[in-house]
Amino acid sequence: MPLPASLQVALPLVILAFGHTLSNLIRTLPAIATDVMSADIGTTTGYLGVLTGAYHLFFALGQIPAGVMLDRLGVRTVSLSLFAITALGAIAGALAQDAFGFFAAQALLGIGCCGMLLCPFTLAAKTLPPARFAMWSGLILSIGNSGMLLSATPMAWLIEHHGWRASFWVSAAMAVGIGALVALVVPAMTKPTATAPSLELKTEFQEVLRMTASLPMRGPVLLAFTSLAAALAVRGVWGGPWFMEVQGLTRIEAGNALIPLTLALAIGPLVAGAIDRVTGARRVLLAGSHLVAGLLLLIVVAAAPGGWLQGGYVGSPSFDAWIFFAFGCCISTQPLLFAMGQSSTPKEKSGKALAALNLMFFCGTAFHQLMSGWIASTLGLVTVFFYFAMALAGSTLLFLHYTRRRA
């Protein structure tokens, strides 16, 4: 019995969004297991933060070929290939014995997860009108960001009782399971894009890179370079160490403290899309929310032990948890950057356009993760949060500068 028309559109998008859920679970695992991972593979927590940057680096490097292959081969073929690589990377992570093995696993996982967001976005861009794409981009990100809920208390419990390697085995099983659903539900591309066979891969790669520097994309690209990096740094790497090392919480308590931030990142994109539709003030919404996000990180720094705001409830673990929640609400306007990029690109090039923007999201994440790993190991966690506050302010001002003519 065939599915209703609405389900034929919605179900593949939701299944593909589960891939982004898995991607978020994998990239945020270190936040809750940094101490035991580093001790087990013979390195420091700061250096482990640098090693996790391999995930984001290879994730970024995979954006161009993923975007091109999505336009050439279709969503189903690319998605199944990525799930296979992700499963292999998770198995490599579970078996890693030293820093090099962990680095190799992170690299494989970065390659495997590089298109987990592009796949549902590309399918939505090719099958939905622009107005519905903005709504679905928020929904896809909300479903994907729920992976951070899994890497909070549930994974903290799993790691506490069964070790950090168990989390990678679970990730491998999820990759296989979601891949099977994709094979069953996501339709194959009926025919290649008309222009794809006539273009050389080199030409298509160059086209993606040109898109990142084009005037319509320049403002969104510059904000994207820091926006996701700040969100993943707080939730994916340094939030757990902050609560455990600075605030003195246990692992499970730290996982609980990260739940408000995770909920904000899961629900926030939907709310941001709704506000955008009601107000139409996309540029102001993006700039204002990112400036406030940077200010909230400065409050965390000022309220840290020894800071000028610290005292009583201010600076307590509960205070930080709710400041992080507000930070997550503000930073969740990121889907609007995708909507900006998609609205200025024809549908036959939607895979490349989204890849160009996603490339800068994760190039920025890789760069800032390497920088924050070095800062954490030399200057401490407080300086890491100050660094991201300044980076958000700087990239927002550049965004305002390059979008002022189109405002």
Side-chain angles (χ1 to χ4, degrees):
M1 180 178 176
L3 292 172
S6 58
L7 270 183
Q8 289 178 8
V9 174
L11 190 58
L13 289 173
V14 171
I15 296 299
L16 289 168
F18 288 155
H20 187 45
T21 303
L22 175 61
S23 175
N24 274 314
L25 167 63
I26 289 170
R27 78 165 57 99
T28 54
L29 273 177
I32 208 66
T34 301
D35 55 337
V36 288
M37 283 183 180
S38 58
D40 205 10
I41 65 174
T43 185
T44 64
T45 55
Y47 187 56
L48 189 74
V50 174
L51 291 176
T52 58
Y55 174 96
H56 304 295
L57 176 62
F58 283 87
F59 193 110
L61 292 174
Q63 293 306 304
I64 296 178
V68 171
M69 289 302 107
L70 281 166
D71 286 340
R72 278 178 169 257
L73 304 177
V75 171
R76 185 176 186 271
T77 299
V78 172
S79 180
L80 290 174
S81 302
L82 294 175
F83 277 112
I85 297 171
T86 300
L88 290 174
I91 292 170
L95 299 175
Q97 299 298 319
D98 53 24
F100 177 78
F102 187 79
F103 174 88
Q106 290 291 301
L108 269 176
L109 289 168
I111 295 170
C113 293
C114 72
M116 295 301 188
L117 181 59
L118 285 180
C119 286
F121 270 15
T122 301
L123 186 62
K126 289 180 182 294
T127 58
L128 299 174
R132 291 188 66 194
F133 176 84
M135 179 195 74
W136 269 99
S137 63
L139 180 59
I140 289 166
L141 278 172
S142 291
I143 294 171
N145 287 348
S146 66
M148 300 182 195
L149 281 172
L150 297 176
S151 67
T153 304
M155 282 298 166
W157 180 91
L158 182 68
I159 292 165
E160 195 73 22
H161 290 83
H162 300 285
W164 64 271
R165 297 180 189 277
S167 62
F168 283 97
W169 287 116
V170 169
S171 300
M174 289 178 65
V176 173
I178 301 171
L181 290 175
V182 168
L184 289 172
V185 172
V186 177
M189 188 168 67
T190 54
K191 62 178 182 177
T193 303
T195 57
S198 62
L199 294 174
E200 295 181 357
L201 281 175
K202 180 180 178 181
T203 304
E204 296 195 66
F205 286 2
Q206 290 172 342
E207 187 178 2
V208 176
L209 291 175
R210 282 196 299 270
M211 285 182 177
T212 64
S214 64
L215 187 59
M217 296 281 282
R218 199 169 299 165
V221 156
L222 288 168
L223 187 57
F225 193 79
T226 300
S227 176
L228 185 64
L232 293 182
V234 177
R235 176 57 189 87
V237 180
W238 304 118
W242 178 268
F243 283 115
M244 288 187 282
E245 297 175 16
V246 176
Q247 296 290 3
L249 301 185
T250 66
R251 188 180 320 283
I252 293 179
E253 288 172 342
N256 292 335
L258 288 170
I259 286 178
L261 168 59
T262 309
L263 288 172
L265 293 173
I267 300 171
L270 279 176
V271 177
I275 295 174
D276 175 62
R277 288 195 300 275
V278 170
T279 64
R282 184 172 295 168
R283 176 176 179 264
V284 173
L285 182 58
L286 279 164
S289 63
H290 282 76
L291 284 174
V292 173
L295 177 62
L296 290 166
L297 292 184
L298 285 180
I299 292 174
V300 171
V301 169
W308 64 272
L309 265 182
Q310 201 272 334
Y313 179 74
V314 175
S316 67
S318 297
F319 177 83
D320 285 352
W322 290 110
I323 291 293
F324 285 154
F325 169 79
F327 166 83
C329 292
C330 292
I331 210 77
S332 290
T333 54
Q334 289 159 359
L336 303 183
L337 292 171
F338 285 108
M340 270 189 169
Q342 189 267 345
S343 63
S344 61
T345 309
K347 283 194 174 186
E348 64 271 13
K349 296 184 179 180
S350 56
K352 299 185 192 72
L354 294 171
L357 192 55
N358 217 27
L359 171 67
M360 300 314 296
F361 267 118
F362 285 94
C363 278
T365 302
F367 171 80
H368 288 298
Q369 186 55 47
L370 291 171
M371 287 296 295
S372 67
W374 176 80
I375 291 170
S377 61
T378 56
L379 302 173
L381 285 176
V382 172
T383 312
V384 167
F385 284 89
F386 180 79
Y387 166 79
F388 278 108
M390 293 297 99
L392 282 171
S395 59
T396 303
L397 293 177
L398 287 171
F399 169 79
L400 287 170
H401 172 74
Y402 282 108
T403 57
R404 68 190 187 282
R405 293 178 183 174
R406 296 185 297 116

